[in-house]
Amino acid sequence: MKPTIYLLATAALCFGQQVSAAPTWVADKAGHAPQGAIVGGSEPGRNLIVCRAKYQNGSHPGKLVASNCNIGWGGKEITLPAYEVLTGDPKEIQWVKGQNGSVPTNAFIGGEEPGRKLPVCRGSHNGGIHPGKIVAKNCNIGWGGKEILLPTYEVMVVAAATQVTTSTVPTTTVAAASCSAGQELLDGKTCVTLAAWPNKTPLPDGSKIAIKLRKVNRNYSGGSEPWPRWIGVSTKDNATIDAVDEKLTSRNIFEIKTFYRSGWDHFGMPWFIMKASNGKYVGGRKDGSGKLGAMADEPNADIFDRSYHDGANFVQTAYQWKDAEKFFNGASKGQGYRFYEMCLSPFNVGSKLDGIGQWLNGGNPNYGCYVSGKVDFYVVK
């Protein structure tokens, strides 16, 4: 079951059940919108639903266009296939005129970036009304590949929003949520169930997983240090796979597809590929760094396996998804099976430990890393 509901207000949400009448953010992707989505504007031929998406260490309000949430950032229009849609009762929402950075007392905060909150706004441009975000003195929207700054606009207000002084950007709080045993708080807002992914066990296509690094190498003699961090897409470039999150976030969730033939566990089955939160598939970067990145389309996704040794090793094969059948046919006829056991190298851990591990079976030089970079696999429900 996909973890979907996010609540912005002074209430907590668990098990996907709404506990407040305040507007809620519902996770979605690829142009889909949940029931009750809030329409914030329009342009010729379509309505524009209010959405928000994570980008460059922030969460940015924007508009749903075709298959993406389009936001303005850094002078450009950014299109993001994974996003959240604002849902609620339209009768509880109003749009109040503003200009030059003015914010009404009950503005709705739709996101944030380092140093500031981002109220939801909308502005007129090129024959349409476009949802966006208040930044400094403007309503910033994405349009035509560019970030457009509009000094006159309307700001979304709701009865449940935090009250503040006019022209002061308000803040909202999310009450601490408590989850049951076996659950984890996702993005600090939603309780999801984590179940261990058993070794040698295939999962249905579309299953969601999370992977937590246990420890990393500090030398080539088997020494290691604890490093309990979730792996995910880096907030710095929205591509590199790092292992820096102590708490579970949406960027740590991967959607998988599997390739499995019963009786061939000794070839590392099930094999699987991972689709990251940025909509791309995981594979080795092509820059010689030895790191992993989420930059590939599905046919060119690297294959990983889930049955080597005790199942706690992160193992990458030397093959891509488009060649899975060919790979299996060759291996089953005794033509060999190449894989690379991951230790520290593929993950950016953002510390002095980064980059000192190697791949156990990664070719020449092959000094090994004593399998100290173990991970735990979880199915997210």
Side-chain angles (χ1 to χ4, degrees):
M1 179 177 68
K2 172 170 124 179
T4 54
I5 300 181
Y6 297 79
L7 179 61
L8 186 69
T10 55
L13 185 109
C14 211
F15 306 112
Q17 296 176 349
Q18 186 174 336
V19 294
S20 170
T24 61
W25 292 101
V26 178
D28 219 315
K29 61 182 180 179
H32 299 138
Q35 184 176 2
I38 298 297
V39 175
S42 64
E43 59 184 4
R46 62 183 160 200
N47 289 326
L48 298 174
I49 291 171
V50 177
C51 61
R52 71 177 181 185
K54 293 184 177 181
Y55 188 73
Q56 296 292 343
N57 295 316
S59 181
H60 305 268
K63 59 186 179 182
L64 193 61
V65 179
S67 297
N68 303 291
C69 181
N70 291 15
I71 66 169
W73 191 90
K76 298 180 180 180
E77 182 179 30
I78 309 298
T79 59
L80 301 166
Y83 50 81
E84 297 172 24
V85 173
L86 186 64
T87 65
D89 184 353
K91 297 178 181 178
E92 299 297 321
I93 292 174
Q94 294 181 331
W95 296 92
V96 177
K97 291 183 179 180
Q99 60 182 352
N100 300 320
S102 65
V103 178
T105 57
N106 51 350
F108 181 72
I109 303 299
E112 62 182 355
E113 59 185 5
R116 61 184 158 203
K117 304 293 182 179
L118 301 173
V120 175
C121 62
R122 67 181 184 183
S124 298
H125 182 72
N126 201 50
I129 300 176
H130 306 267
K133 58 187 179 182
I134 294 290
V135 180
K137 295 185 177 183
N138 302 290
C139 177
N140 292 16
I141 66 168
W143 188 87
K146 298 181 180 179
E147 182 178 31
I148 308 298
L149 280 55
L150 304 172
T152 59
Y153 47 79
E154 294 178 312
V155 180
M156 178 184 288
V157 298
V158 293
T162 303
Q163 298 294 317
V164 296
T165 304
T166 302
S167 299
T168 301
V169 176
T171 59
T172 56
T173 59
V174 178
S178 60
C179 300
S180 301
Q183 292 193 315
E184 188 92 8
L185 198 58
L186 178 67
D187 293 323
K189 303 171 186 178
T190 305
C191 295
V192 294
T193 299
L194 297 182
W197 180 8
N199 192 25
K200 302 182 181 181
T201 303
L203 294 175
D205 287 351
S207 295
K208 304 294 194 302
I209 67 168
I211 303 172
K212 195 171 190 178
L213 191 62
R214 292 184 190 174
K215 53 186 179 179
V216 295
N217 278 350
R218 55 180 171 79
N219 58 50
Y220 296 124
S221 300
S224 62
E225 293 189 22
W227 194 259
R229 304 291 194 277
W230 297 102
I231 76 167
V233 180
S234 173
T235 59
K236 294 182 179 180
D237 61 8
N238 199 35
T240 300
I241 300 299
D242 62 22
V244 299
D245 293 320
E246 296 184 58
K247 296 182 178 180
L248 190 65
T249 72
S250 294
R251 74 186 195 88
N252 307 126
I253 306 299
F254 297 87
E255 180 179 311
I256 69 168
K257 287 189 174 183
T258 58
F259 182 99
Y260 182 72
R261 297 292 185 269
S262 179
W264 293 91
D265 294 346
H266 56 292
F267 282 157
M269 291 196 178
W271 301 335
F272 65 98
I273 57 174
M274 302 191 297
K275 185 177 183 181
S277 60
N278 65 357
K280 299 293 185 178
Y281 286 84
V282 178
R285 295 182 66 104
K286 309 302 182 183
D287 56 6
S289 66
K291 302 292 185 185
L292 291 176
M295 298 176 288
D297 56 13
E298 181 178 308
N300 294 299
D302 282 356
I303 297 174
F304 300 87
D305 81 30
R306 186 66 195 94
S307 66
Y308 185 71
H309 286 333
D310 62 357
N313 304 312
F314 194 78
V315 181
Q316 180 186 21
T317 75
Y319 307 91
Q320 296 177 324
W321 190 244
K322 62 186 178 183
D323 298 320
E325 193 71 44
K326 179 181 178 181
F327 169 25
F328 170 73
N329 290 336
S332 64
K333 295 176 182 178
Q335 297 176 9
Y337 168 53
R338 292 186 293 149
F339 65 92
Y340 305 91
E341 185 169 356
M342 303 297 191
C343 296
L344 172 62
S345 290
F347 306 126
N348 169 28
V349 299
S351 81
K352 63 182 181 180
L353 298 173
D354 193 35
I356 62 174
Q358 294 192 39
W359 296 4
L360 181 62
N361 296 304
N364 185 27
N366 182 13
Y367 301 115
C369 69
Y370 302 93
V371 202
S372 67
K374 293 196 174 185
V375 300
D376 291 304
F377 290 87
Y378 296 95
V379 181
V380 182
K381 301 179 179 179

